Amino acid sequence: MTDKITDTMKNEIEKLVQELNYHCYRYYVLDSPVIPDEEYDRMYFHLKHLEGKHHYVLPDSPTQRVGAPPLEKFEKVKHTEPMLSLDNAFTQENLVEFEKRIKRILKSDQDIEYTVEPKYDGLAIELTYRKGLLYKASTRGDGYEGEEVTRNIKTIKSVPIKISDDGSVPDEIDIRGEVYMDIRDFEQLNKDREEKGEPLFANPRNAAAGSVRQLDSSITASRKLHLACYGIGLVKGFEFKTQGKFMQWLEKARFPVPTLIKTVTGIERVIQVIGEIEENRKGYSFETDGSVVKVNSFDLQKQLGMKTREPRWAIAYKFTAHQGITKILDIQGSVGRTGVITPFAIFEPVRIGGVTVSRSTLHNWDEIERKDIRIGDTVVVERAGDVIPHVLEVIKDKRTGKEKHFPMPERCPVCGSKVVREEGEVAARCIGLNCPAQVREKIFHFASRGGMDIEGLGEKNVEMLCSKELVKHFVDIYRLKKEDLLALPRFAEKSAQNLIDAINRSKSTLLPGFFLRSEYFMWAHTGRNFSQKTSGRLKIFII
Ligand code: IVH
C-alpha cells in the first residue's frame, strides 16, 4: 500500500539522505567514520523502506548508486574541453628546462607558483555536474571522445552525486580525476579471481580500468574503487583563479583529492616536494609512478596554452622505475586451491630496486600471448611500488630463434589429470579431484590466518606433512600426534608441542563470516559435528 506523502515524511527522507551522504563522505573520502557501520546500514535500510513506501526518491539518495540494469553498449561522449595527457620529466634538469621554457614563453622572469601532487596510476574520467547534480561521467577515451560510464561511476562511494551546497555551486562544471584501486585491494581481487578461475589483472591500473568499463554496473559496485580529483574542464557561472583555489573548493565540496597537494614557488621548491613524495610513496595505499607539477595561475595556464596533446603548463615527473633486464629460463604452471593453473616465469636472478627477483607470475595464457612471452626470451621486469614484479615487455631484438612457446598444458603438471579451459574462461583448470597441489593449497588455506589460524602450519610445514602423506585432508590435521611430528626433520620437541597446542586451540574457534564458505563443508568427511551459534557465527566442534 502506498501512503500519500506528507511534508513531515518528505523532511524525514531528506534528512536521512543528507545524513547518510555525510557519513558516506566521512567514511569514503575522509577515512574517518563517526558512526558504526551497523548504524549506517540501519539508516540506509530505513531510507530504502521509506522511499519504497512513499515513492519518494531524491536524485542524490545513496540508494541510487546501485541497481541499474546492465547496458547493451556504452554511449560515446564528446568532451567539451579535450582531456589532455602530460609531458614527462625524468630528471631534475628536465624540470629546470620546463621552468625555463615557461619563462621564455611568458617573456618574464617573475617567480612562478606551482602545485605539486602525486600522480595516480588509474583511469582518467570526467564528471559533469549540472546545477550541482552528477549528470554524466565519461572515460577519457582518445582525449576528445570517451564512453559514458555514469552508472558505474555512481557506484564509487567517494564520488559525490550532489555537490555539497554552501552557496558556491557552479551552474555546470566538468571535474577530472583518476579512478584507481589500492594495491591491497588489487592483490585481493586477483587472489579471488585466481580461485574462481578468472583471468588476473596485470596491475592496479588495469584492474581499475576493467572495473569501470563494465556493462553491468553491479560488477563495478563489487570492486573497491577510489577517486582522486585533480583537474577542471568547462565551468559555467563561476570563476577559479588558481589550481590551488580550485583544489580547495573541491575539498570543501566534499570531493576526494590527492593525499598531498602543495603550492610552492620556484622549481627548486618543486624538486624538494617531489623528493618528499618519492620518499613517502612506499606508505601510500595506491600505486604512484610520479608527481604532477602544474602552473598554479589559470591566467598563466591560458597564456601558455598547449602543444598537440599536452599542456605547456604541466609536467609529470616520473620516479625512477625499478626495472631490470633478465632472461626467462623456464615457464611453469602452478596449481591453485581450486585447480586453476597460473603460469609463472623463472628468471636468471636479477637485482631490481634492492631486491633479487627470480620469478614472477605471468597471470594467464592470454597475457602470455598478448605479450608474446617465450622461454629463453630476454625481458624487462618491473617492480612498481609495492606491487609484485611483472614482465613489462619482451626485448624482441634479442631473440635468437631458439625461444620456445609455452602452450597451455593438456595435463596437470602435478597430478597429470586433464586440464580444461571452459567456454568463456581464460583460466586453465586441473580437474583432478585428488591433485596433491590442490590438496596442499586447500590445507594451507584452511590453516591460514583467515581460516583456522593455526600458527605453525605455514606453507613449508603443510608441504612436508602432505608429502609424507600424514595429511591428505584437513581433518587429518586433527589426527596428528606429537610423535608423528617428531619423526619429521622440521620438528623438535618444542616446535612439535607448539603446533599440537595450536591445533588444539583451533578445535573450538569462533570464526568470522569467512568460514561460512561451503567448500570446506563439501570437502568435509561425514561424521563431523557442526553446530550453528545463534550469533550467526559458526562454532565448529571436531570430535
Ligand atoms: S593533471 C592536462 N594530475 O596522468 C593534463 N593527471 O599521464 C591534466 N594523472 O591523463 C592531468 N594523476 O589521467 C593530473 N594528479 C594528477 C594525475 C594525473 C594521474 C593521469 C591523468 C593524465 C595522465 C597523464
Side-chain angles (χ1 to χ4, degrees), residues 325-327 371-372 374 376-380 393-403:
I325 292 176
T326 186
K327 202 169 165 180
K371 291 188 175 155
D372 188 16
R374 304 178 194 174
D377 264 338
T378 303
V379 290
V380 180
E393 59 182 352
V394 173
I395 306 180
K396 301 228 167 100
D397 288 353
K398 299 255 177 177
R399 281 202 172 141
T400 60
K402 287 193 184 142
E403 293 75 18

PDB file of all heavy atoms in Angstrom, residues 325-327 371-372 374 376-380 393-403:
ATOM      1  N   ILE A 325      66.705  -6.073 -16.550  1.00  0.00           N
ATOM      2  CA  ILE A 325      66.621  -6.919 -17.741  1.00  0.00           C
ATOM      3  C   ILE A 325      67.144  -8.298 -17.362  1.00  0.00           C
ATOM      4  O   ILE A 325      68.188  -8.421 -16.714  1.00  0.00           O
ATOM      5  CB  ILE A 325      67.427  -6.298 -18.897  1.00  0.00           C
ATOM      6  CG1 ILE A 325      66.724  -5.011 -19.334  1.00  0.00           C
ATOM      7  CG2 ILE A 325      67.565  -7.276 -20.067  1.00  0.00           C
ATOM      8  CD1 ILE A 325      67.438  -4.231 -20.388  1.00  0.00           C
ATOM      9  N   THR A 326      66.409  -9.313 -17.724  1.00  0.00           N
ATOM     10  CA  THR A 326      66.853 -10.670 -17.419  1.00  0.00           C
ATOM     11  C   THR A 326      66.324 -11.638 -18.470  1.00  0.00           C
ATOM     12  O   THR A 326      65.657 -11.225 -19.431  1.00  0.00           O
ATOM     13  CB  THR A 326      66.424 -11.083 -15.989  1.00  0.00           C
ATOM     14  OG1 THR A 326      66.996 -12.355 -15.704  1.00  0.00           O
ATOM     15  CG2 THR A 326      64.926 -11.178 -15.834  1.00  0.00           C
ATOM     16  N   LYS A 327      66.647 -12.916 -18.257  1.00  0.00           N
ATOM     17  CA  LYS A 327      66.271 -13.910 -19.244  1.00  0.00           C
ATOM     18  C   LYS A 327      65.279 -14.889 -18.617  1.00  0.00           C
ATOM     19  O   LYS A 327      65.434 -15.256 -17.447  1.00  0.00           O
ATOM     20  CB  LYS A 327      67.538 -14.663 -19.660  1.00  0.00           C
ATOM     21  CG  LYS A 327      67.422 -15.334 -20.985  1.00  0.00           C
ATOM     22  CD  LYS A 327      68.775 -15.821 -21.421  1.00  0.00           C
ATOM     23  CE  LYS A 327      68.548 -16.796 -22.560  1.00  0.00           C
ATOM     24  NZ  LYS A 327      69.762 -17.328 -23.068  1.00  0.00           N
ATOM     25  N   LYS A 371      51.626 -10.551 -24.860  1.00  0.00           N
ATOM     26  CA  LYS A 371      52.988 -10.006 -24.795  1.00  0.00           C
ATOM     27  C   LYS A 371      53.967 -10.877 -25.569  1.00  0.00           C
ATOM     28  O   LYS A 371      55.139 -10.536 -25.676  1.00  0.00           O
ATOM     29  CB  LYS A 371      53.438  -9.903 -23.340  1.00  0.00           C
ATOM     30  CG  LYS A 371      52.681  -8.832 -22.571  1.00  0.00           C
ATOM     31  CD  LYS A 371      53.262  -8.609 -21.200  1.00  0.00           C
ATOM     32  CE  LYS A 371      52.580  -7.458 -20.488  1.00  0.00           C
ATOM     33  NZ  LYS A 371      52.670  -7.562 -19.044  1.00  0.00           N
ATOM     34  N   ASP A 372      53.483 -11.984 -26.116  1.00  0.00           N
ATOM     35  CA  ASP A 372      54.295 -12.938 -26.867  1.00  0.00           C
ATOM     36  C   ASP A 372      55.551 -13.321 -26.083  1.00  0.00           C
ATOM     37  O   ASP A 372      56.678 -13.128 -26.527  1.00  0.00           O
ATOM     38  CB  ASP A 372      54.658 -12.335 -28.241  1.00  0.00           C
ATOM     39  CG  ASP A 372      55.333 -13.367 -29.139  1.00  0.00           C
ATOM     40  OD1 ASP A 372      55.246 -14.564 -28.828  1.00  0.00           O
ATOM     41  OD2 ASP A 372      55.963 -12.964 -30.142  1.00  0.00           O
ATOM     42  N   ARG A 374      58.114 -15.923 -24.487  1.00  0.00           N
ATOM     43  CA  ARG A 374      58.575 -17.290 -24.754  1.00  0.00           C
ATOM     44  C   ARG A 374      59.727 -17.654 -23.821  1.00  0.00           C
ATOM     45  O   ARG A 374      60.446 -16.775 -23.332  1.00  0.00           O
ATOM     46  CB  ARG A 374      59.070 -17.411 -26.201  1.00  0.00           C
ATOM     47  CG  ARG A 374      58.010 -16.997 -27.200  1.00  0.00           C
ATOM     48  CD  ARG A 374      58.528 -17.083 -28.609  1.00  0.00           C
ATOM     49  NE  ARG A 374      57.620 -16.378 -29.514  1.00  0.00           N
ATOM     50  CZ  ARG A 374      57.851 -16.177 -30.787  1.00  0.00           C
ATOM     51  NH1 ARG A 374      58.966 -16.628 -31.339  1.00  0.00           N
ATOM     52  NH2 ARG A 374      56.983 -15.534 -31.527  1.00  0.00           N
ATOM     53  N   GLY A 376      63.270 -18.472 -22.849  1.00  0.00           N
ATOM     54  CA  GLY A 376      64.523 -18.064 -23.495  1.00  0.00           C
ATOM     55  C   GLY A 376      64.530 -16.590 -23.868  1.00  0.00           C
ATOM     56  O   GLY A 376      65.572 -16.035 -24.208  1.00  0.00           O
ATOM     57  N   ASP A 377      63.376 -15.932 -23.745  1.00  0.00           N
ATOM     58  CA  ASP A 377      63.298 -14.509 -24.092  1.00  0.00           C
ATOM     59  C   ASP A 377      64.052 -13.636 -23.095  1.00  0.00           C
ATOM     60  O   ASP A 377      64.092 -13.946 -21.895  1.00  0.00           O
ATOM     61  CB  ASP A 377      61.832 -14.049 -24.088  1.00  0.00           C
ATOM     62  CG  ASP A 377      61.218 -14.085 -25.480  1.00  0.00           C
ATOM     63  OD1 ASP A 377      61.975 -14.051 -26.463  1.00  0.00           O
ATOM     64  OD2 ASP A 377      59.975 -14.151 -25.558  1.00  0.00           O
ATOM     65  N   THR A 378      64.624 -12.548 -23.606  1.00  0.00           N
ATOM     66  CA  THR A 378      65.163 -11.517 -22.732  1.00  0.00           C
ATOM     67  C   THR A 378      64.023 -10.532 -22.491  1.00  0.00           C
ATOM     68  O   THR A 378      63.353 -10.112 -23.437  1.00  0.00           O
ATOM     69  CB  THR A 378      66.355 -10.818 -23.401  1.00  0.00           C
ATOM     70  OG1 THR A 378      67.304 -11.833 -23.705  1.00  0.00           O
ATOM     71  CG2 THR A 378      66.980  -9.771 -22.510  1.00  0.00           C
ATOM     72  N   VAL A 379      63.782 -10.222 -21.203  1.00  0.00           N
ATOM     73  CA  VAL A 379      62.605  -9.415 -20.881  1.00  0.00           C
ATOM     74  C   VAL A 379      62.944  -8.268 -19.940  1.00  0.00           C
ATOM     75  O   VAL A 379      63.945  -8.322 -19.222  1.00  0.00           O
ATOM     76  CB  VAL A 379      61.500 -10.275 -20.213  1.00  0.00           C
ATOM     77  CG1 VAL A 379      60.874 -11.229 -21.199  1.00  0.00           C
ATOM     78  CG2 VAL A 379      62.046 -11.023 -18.994  1.00  0.00           C
ATOM     79  N   VAL A 380      62.095  -7.247 -19.961  1.00  0.00           N
ATOM     80  CA  VAL A 380      62.203  -6.169 -18.984  1.00  0.00           C
ATOM     81  C   VAL A 380      61.237  -6.519 -17.853  1.00  0.00           C
ATOM     82  O   VAL A 380      60.052  -6.743 -18.088  1.00  0.00           O
ATOM     83  CB  VAL A 380      61.802  -4.802 -19.584  1.00  0.00           C
ATOM     84  CG1 VAL A 380      61.928  -3.705 -18.539  1.00  0.00           C
ATOM     85  CG2 VAL A 380      62.628  -4.494 -20.812  1.00  0.00           C
ATOM     86  N   GLU A 393      57.863  -6.190 -20.769  1.00  0.00           N
ATOM     87  CA  GLU A 393      57.877  -6.460 -22.217  1.00  0.00           C
ATOM     88  C   GLU A 393      59.036  -7.381 -22.592  1.00  0.00           C
ATOM     89  O   GLU A 393      59.994  -7.548 -21.846  1.00  0.00           O
ATOM     90  CB  GLU A 393      57.975  -5.167 -23.013  1.00  0.00           C
ATOM     91  CG  GLU A 393      59.224  -4.385 -22.680  1.00  0.00           C
ATOM     92  CD  GLU A 393      59.321  -3.063 -23.425  1.00  0.00           C
ATOM     93  OE1 GLU A 393      58.510  -2.810 -24.310  1.00  0.00           O
ATOM     94  OE2 GLU A 393      60.234  -2.302 -23.090  1.00  0.00           O
ATOM     95  N   VAL A 394      58.911  -7.937 -23.806  1.00  0.00           N
ATOM     96  CA  VAL A 394      59.963  -8.797 -24.336  1.00  0.00           C
ATOM     97  C   VAL A 394      60.865  -7.923 -25.211  1.00  0.00           C
ATOM     98  O   VAL A 394      60.382  -7.074 -25.952  1.00  0.00           O
ATOM     99  CB  VAL A 394      59.337  -9.908 -25.215  1.00  0.00           C
ATOM    100  CG1 VAL A 394      60.410 -10.723 -25.927  1.00  0.00           C
ATOM    101  CG2 VAL A 394      58.448 -10.811 -24.365  1.00  0.00           C
ATOM    102  N   ILE A 395      62.184  -8.111 -25.066  1.00  0.00           N
ATOM    103  CA  ILE A 395      63.081  -7.386 -25.977  1.00  0.00           C
ATOM    104  C   ILE A 395      63.269  -8.288 -27.203  1.00  0.00           C
ATOM    105  O   ILE A 395      64.074  -9.223 -27.197  1.00  0.00           O
ATOM    106  CB  ILE A 395      64.429  -7.054 -25.303  1.00  0.00           C
ATOM    107  CG1 ILE A 395      64.162  -6.314 -23.979  1.00  0.00           C
ATOM    108  CG2 ILE A 395      65.312  -6.221 -26.227  1.00  0.00           C
ATOM    109  CD1 ILE A 395      65.413  -5.924 -23.216  1.00  0.00           C
ATOM    110  N   LYS A 396      62.469  -8.014 -28.208  1.00  0.00           N
ATOM    111  CA  LYS A 396      62.408  -8.939 -29.355  1.00  0.00           C
ATOM    112  C   LYS A 396      63.718  -8.963 -30.147  1.00  0.00           C
ATOM    113  O   LYS A 396      64.055  -9.984 -30.755  1.00  0.00           O
ATOM    114  CB  LYS A 396      61.216  -8.583 -30.251  1.00  0.00           C
ATOM    115  CG  LYS A 396      59.880  -8.654 -29.501  1.00  0.00           C
ATOM    116  CD  LYS A 396      58.825  -9.435 -30.257  1.00  0.00           C
ATOM    117  CE  LYS A 396      57.639  -9.753 -29.372  1.00  0.00           C
ATOM    118  NZ  LYS A 396      56.486  -8.915 -29.509  1.00  0.00           N
ATOM    119  N   ASP A 397      64.468  -7.839 -30.114  1.00  0.00           N
ATOM    120  CA  ASP A 397      65.742  -7.775 -30.845  1.00  0.00           C
ATOM    121  C   ASP A 397      66.733  -8.827 -30.366  1.00  0.00           C
ATOM    122  O   ASP A 397      67.663  -9.183 -31.059  1.00  0.00           O
ATOM    123  CB  ASP A 397      66.416  -6.407 -30.643  1.00  0.00           C
ATOM    124  CG  ASP A 397      65.679  -5.330 -31.406  1.00  0.00           C
ATOM    125  OD1 ASP A 397      64.762  -5.700 -32.172  1.00  0.00           O
ATOM    126  OD2 ASP A 397      65.993  -4.146 -31.213  1.00  0.00           O
ATOM    127  N   LYS A 398      66.537  -9.274 -29.121  1.00  0.00           N
ATOM    128  CA  LYS A 398      67.494 -10.227 -28.536  1.00  0.00           C
ATOM    129  C   LYS A 398      67.154 -11.672 -28.886  1.00  0.00           C
ATOM    130  O   LYS A 398      67.805 -12.593 -28.406  1.00  0.00           O
ATOM    131  CB  LYS A 398      67.515 -10.069 -26.999  1.00  0.00           C
ATOM    132  CG  LYS A 398      67.949  -8.719 -26.543  1.00  0.00           C
ATOM    133  CD  LYS A 398      69.359  -8.771 -26.002  1.00  0.00           C
ATOM    134  CE  LYS A 398      69.784  -7.372 -25.624  1.00  0.00           C
ATOM    135  NZ  LYS A 398      71.044  -7.275 -25.038  1.00  0.00           N
ATOM    136  N   ARG A 399      66.105 -11.846 -29.659  1.00  0.00           N
ATOM    137  CA  ARG A 399      65.704 -13.228 -29.971  1.00  0.00           C
ATOM    138  C   ARG A 399      66.722 -13.906 -30.878  1.00  0.00           C
ATOM    139  O   ARG A 399      67.284 -13.279 -31.777  1.00  0.00           O
ATOM    140  CB  ARG A 399      64.332 -13.249 -30.634  1.00  0.00           C
ATOM    141  CG  ARG A 399      63.244 -13.106 -29.605  1.00  0.00           C
ATOM    142  CD  ARG A 399      61.929 -13.643 -30.099  1.00  0.00           C
ATOM    143  NE  ARG A 399      60.980 -13.643 -28.982  1.00  0.00           N
ATOM    144  CZ  ARG A 399      59.710 -13.334 -29.089  1.00  0.00           C
ATOM    145  NH1 ARG A 399      59.197 -13.006 -30.255  1.00  0.00           N
ATOM    146  NH2 ARG A 399      58.930 -13.369 -28.033  1.00  0.00           N
ATOM    147  N   THR A 400      66.963 -15.195 -30.627  1.00  0.00           N
ATOM    148  CA  THR A 400      67.923 -15.938 -31.448  1.00  0.00           C
ATOM    149  C   THR A 400      67.204 -16.943 -32.343  1.00  0.00           C
ATOM    150  O   THR A 400      67.804 -17.574 -33.199  1.00  0.00           O
ATOM    151  CB  THR A 400      68.878 -16.742 -30.532  1.00  0.00           C
ATOM    152  OG1 THR A 400      68.074 -17.656 -29.767  1.00  0.00           O
ATOM    153  CG2 THR A 400      69.659 -15.851 -29.598  1.00  0.00           C
ATOM    154  N   GLY A 401      65.930 -17.135 -32.108  1.00  0.00           N
ATOM    155  CA  GLY A 401      65.182 -18.139 -32.869  1.00  0.00           C
ATOM    156  C   GLY A 401      65.053 -19.439 -32.087  1.00  0.00           C
ATOM    157  O   GLY A 401      64.338 -20.348 -32.487  1.00  0.00           O
ATOM    158  N   LYS A 402      65.767 -19.493 -30.947  1.00  0.00           N
ATOM    159  CA  LYS A 402      65.723 -20.740 -30.154  1.00  0.00           C
ATOM    160  C   LYS A 402      64.660 -20.668 -29.048  1.00  0.00           C
ATOM    161  O   LYS A 402      64.507 -21.608 -28.282  1.00  0.00           O
ATOM    162  CB  LYS A 402      67.096 -20.982 -29.510  1.00  0.00           C
ATOM    163  CG  LYS A 402      68.135 -21.439 -30.516  1.00  0.00           C
ATOM    164  CD  LYS A 402      69.356 -21.952 -29.786  1.00  0.00           C
ATOM    165  CE  LYS A 402      70.430 -22.321 -30.784  1.00  0.00           C
ATOM    166  NZ  LYS A 402      71.760 -21.975 -30.324  1.00  0.00           N
ATOM    167  N   GLU A 403      63.980 -19.530 -28.947  1.00  0.00           N
ATOM    168  CA  GLU A 403      62.997 -19.368 -27.882  1.00  0.00           C
ATOM    169  C   GLU A 403      61.828 -20.331 -28.113  1.00  0.00           C
ATOM    170  O   GLU A 403      61.506 -20.632 -29.267  1.00  0.00           O
ATOM    171  CB  GLU A 403      62.465 -17.920 -27.859  1.00  0.00           C
ATOM    172  CG  GLU A 403      63.486 -16.886 -27.474  1.00  0.00           C
ATOM    173  CD  GLU A 403      64.496 -16.584 -28.584  1.00  0.00           C
ATOM    174  OE1 GLU A 403      64.209 -16.922 -29.755  1.00  0.00           O
ATOM    175  OE2 GLU A 403      65.578 -16.045 -28.290  1.00  0.00           O
TER     176      GLU A 403
END
